[in-house]
Amino acid sequence: MSRCAEAAAVAATVPGAGVGNAGLRPPMVPRQASFFPPPVPNPFVQQTRMGAARRIQSFFLGIILVPVRALLLAFVLLLAWPFAAISTMCCPEKLTHPITGWRRKIAQPVLKLLGRAMFFSMGFAVRVKGKIASPAEAPIFVVAPHSTFFDGIACVVAGLPSMVSRNENVQVPLIGTLLRALQPVLVSRVDPDSRKNTINEIIRRATSGGVWPQDTVTWTWQGYTFIQLCVLTFCQPFTRVEVEFMPVQAPNDEEKRDPVLFAGRVRTLMAEALDIPVTDHTYEDCRLMISAGQLTLPMEAGLVEFTKISRKLKLDWDGIRKHLDEYAAIASSSKGGRIGIEEFAEYLKLPVSDVLRQLFTLFDRNHDGSIDFREYVIGLAVLCNPANTEEIIQVAFKLFDLDEDGYITEDEFSTILQASLGVPDLDVSGLFKEIAQGDSISYEEFKSFALKHPEYARIFTTYLDLQAGYVFSLPEQGQAAPSITSNKVSPENHNGGPSDKKDD
């Protein structure tokens, strides 16, 4: 069974489905379940709420603690700066060779000591669990989850390993010099080759036989600014931090052939130790989240697990970003940034009908009566785009062109849509004017509109479905497509046609 037929079968079992009682719906088919997002909080935002008592306590303690700790922190940083400057003296901004010799022997022990003093002066009480592995045992270690600017505590405890950092950070006065002393792997978020270059640099250092220090990898987040976080932290009498070093993990033969397996096993072990869920969100999701915020949508709207979806559906960044703009045009006015059946119908300039409810049901993959951005992207890719091929558009155009003169008039357009949607008094003038540049619609105009608005693909082909009694699927390669010489379409049943299923 093709994907379209499979989805239509699910919708057909629920007459008038699409809004309301999810209990009447059938269970999700495996493909629907495979794209269903895990119920986890936003991994890119740190939400912290303080009660009234905590705010009062912080205010009065802050009057004393903030200025004292700020002075101590400034003193430690100023004391550390000359040692960092000496260790990086005459070195290029992007280090091509590790810092060695007397500079390393003098600077590193002092910087480690001052690093501990800095966090002690800020009120951190650090507890260490587990054994710290040497660079020879573990040339790379991962710090997670990166939910604060104070992840540097783990790096200080580990002996000041190299870290992955943005290019912009080394330009910050004082802090930039201290960061360069750690010999970081610098990345640029605007360079499309930065990820590949970063991976190559980490591999080069990890295979250097211990010449370079350990490399550590963390993630990114959005929440309090650095200044806000420092002030709130300084207001506390002390802040407990636990750093746990887990046993060194080595890849087996299968994981050496497929490093993704090794990465997946390691992150699962870390998640189990932290008792937190695992997701497939990447930096592209963070970019989509920020874009969603700029479009006045809830930031969570952009969290679609971009890498997983793009690999399964063969989508790219620009395509999903374009879909986000389209989604925002529908959802920005609705409460919570989700699309209901009414918003969906208004966007399509069509009334709510059984056919539209069935189409809505195909998008609404978790059966809650609304569509989120993830469901919208998957619906367009899985349900609409496969029905938007050149052959299907040609068939749909000939269905509308009742007199077969090569043009669709408003009466012809209205006749087919009324039959397709089961609405005898349907007013399609608004939709017709959006497609036509004059009094009728040419094939090129129809094709251009269908390609730009794949949501209509299944509506345009519903009349064909009604005549044929099944969802149209293309013939196998090399087999002739059905010859359409009249709007009375009744194509042959192509058994054994290619399945458009994607491997989940």
Side-chain angles (χ1 to χ4, degrees):
M1 181 183 287
S2 71
R3 178 187 302 107
C4 291
E6 184 181 80
V10 173
T13 60
V14 190
V19 223
N21 194 343
L24 298 177
R25 297 171 180 268
M28 288 185 293
V29 295
R31 176 160 296 97
Q32 288 174 306
S34 71
F35 283 119
F36 189 66
V40 297
N42 188 338
F44 298 105
V45 174
Q46 175 68 32
Q47 297 285 0
T48 303
R49 293 180 175 85
M50 297 175 60
R54 190 69 177 272
R55 290 176 181 274
I56 294 171
Q57 178 192 27
S58 297
F59 174 78
F60 286 106
L61 287 176
I63 294 175
I64 303 171
L65 294 177
V66 169
V68 172
R69 284 177 170 166
L71 288 173
L72 287 174
L73 178 61
F75 175 74
V76 172
L77 290 175
L78 289 173
L79 197 60
W81 181 85
F83 292 94
I86 290 172
S87 69
T88 58
M89 186 172 52
C90 302
C91 293
E93 183 173 297
K94 277 199 170 184
L95 295 172
T96 55
H97 300 283
I99 297 173
T100 57
W102 63 270
R103 289 187 296 181
R104 182 177 180 86
K105 291 180 180 178
I106 292 176
Q108 289 299 305
V110 175
L111 291 176
K112 290 177 187 177
L113 177 63
L114 291 176
R116 291 177 179 271
M118 178 179 66
F119 287 114
F120 178 78
S121 67
M122 296 167 69
F124 286 100
V126 182
R127 176 172 175 255
V128 179
K129 290 177 59 178
K131 177 188 174 185
I132 303 175
S134 67
E137 293 177 280
I140 299 175
F141 78 94
V142 179
V143 179
H146 182 14
S147 57
T148 170
F149 288 104
F150 297 136
D151 288 344
I153 293 175
C155 296
V156 170
V157 173
L160 299 183
S162 298
M163 62 179 64
V164 178
S165 178
R166 296 185 306 166
N167 269 325
E168 296 86 343
N169 291 341
V170 296
Q171 308 300 329
V172 179
L174 183 62
I175 301 297
T177 303
L178 295 172
L179 181 59
R180 289 188 64 225
L182 302 181
Q183 308 172 76
V185 177
L186 298 178
V187 299
S188 171
R189 292 182 175 177
V190 296
D191 181 5
D193 296 324
S194 181
R195 177 175 295 181
K196 180 180 68 176
N197 295 336
T198 300
I199 292 172
N200 291 336
E201 178 64 12
I202 292 175
I203 292 174
R204 184 176 75 89
R205 295 189 181 194
T207 56
S208 66
V211 175
W212 287 90
Q214 284 173 310
D215 281 292
T216 179
V217 182
T218 60
W219 192 227
T220 189
W221 75 298
Q222 182 167 331
Y224 286 124
T225 66
F226 179 71
I227 299 298
Q228 290 173 327
L229 193 63
C230 283
V231 170
L232 288 173
T233 302
F234 291 177
C235 289
Q236 310 307 314
F238 57 88
T239 303
R240 290 190 177 91
V241 174
E242 181 178 272
V243 179
E244 179 179 0
F245 290 89
M246 298 182 64
V248 176
Q249 301 294 321
N252 56 35
D253 291 339
E254 184 181 5
E255 290 169 340
K256 288 178 181 178
R257 292 190 295 269
D258 186 359
V260 174
L261 292 176
F262 179 61
R265 179 167 67 84
V266 170
R267 76 167 183 170
T268 299
L269 290 172
M270 297 176 73
E272 289 173 352
L274 292 163
D275 194 24
I276 58 175
V278 170
T279 75
D280 288 322
H281 292 104
T282 60
Y283 181 61
E284 283 76 12
D285 289 282
C286 192
R287 291 172 64 192
L288 283 170
M289 180 187 75
I290 294 171
S291 298
Q294 294 170 345
L295 294 170
T296 69
L297 291 172
M299 284 190 159
E300 287 73 13
L303 301 180
V304 296
E305 293 187 306
F306 172 86
T307 300
K308 178 191 288 185
I309 287 182
S310 62
R311 286 174 180 169
K312 287 187 176 183
L313 303 182
K314 311 301 182 191
L315 300 175
D316 57 18
W317 162 258
D318 291 331
I320 291 186
R321 180 60 178 81
K322 178 176 72 69
H323 289 328
L324 182 62
D325 289 334
E326 297 167 354
Y327 179 83
I330 313 173
S332 58
S333 60
S334 61
K335 185 177 180 180
R338 298 176 67 91
I339 300 174
I341 185 70
E342 292 80 11
E343 290 84 13
F344 194 60
E346 183 180 354
Y347 171 71
L348 295 178
K349 296 182 174 64
L350 296 171
V352 176
S353 63
D354 286 345
V355 171
L356 195 68
R357 287 191 180 97
Q358 290 176 10
L359 177 60
F360 186 85
T361 301
L362 298 181
F363 278 85
D364 181 13
R365 305 180 75 83
N366 66 346
H367 310 326
D368 66 351
S370 64
I371 301 172
D372 62 20
F373 178 52
R374 181 191 181 96
E375 293 171 320
Y376 181 75
V377 171
I378 295 171
L380 289 179
V382 176
L383 302 171
C384 295
N385 287 337
N388 232 21
T389 62
E390 180 80 23
E391 292 89 344
I392 293 295
I393 293 174
Q394 288 177 0
V395 171
F397 181 81
K398 290 183 179 182
L399 285 173
F400 283 95
D401 184 12
L402 297 176
D403 58 7
E404 302 179 19
D405 65 349
Y407 292 91
I408 301 172
T409 65
E410 185 170 340
D411 287 341
E412 291 173 328
F413 191 68
S414 176
T415 298
I416 297 299
L417 279 185
Q418 285 173 357
S420 299
L421 298 174
V423 182
D425 57 348
L426 174 66
D427 181 7
V428 298
S429 57
L431 179 58
F432 183 85
K433 290 177 182 177
E434 189 167 333
I435 304 176
Q437 296 182 1
D439 296 333
S440 61
I441 301 173
S442 68
Y443 173 71
E444 290 303 322
E445 291 170 345
F446 185 81
K447 176 183 175 182
S448 175
F449 182 84
L451 292 176
K452 291 179 181 177
H453 300 83
E455 303 93 340
Y456 288 93
R458 292 188 60 81
I459 297 176
F460 286 161
T461 57
T462 297
Y463 189 61
L464 174 62
D465 298 344
L466 293 173
Q467 285 193 337
Y470 74 106
V471 176
F472 183 85
S473 62
L474 294 179
E476 290 184 357
Q477 186 175 2
Q479 185 177 354
S483 175
I484 307 299
T485 58
S486 169
N487 64 296
K488 301 295 184 181
V489 181
S490 182
E492 298 294 330
N493 188 356
H494 299 283
N495 292 326
S499 171
D500 56 2
K501 290 183 180 179
K502 294 185 182 294
D503 184 11
D504 291 339

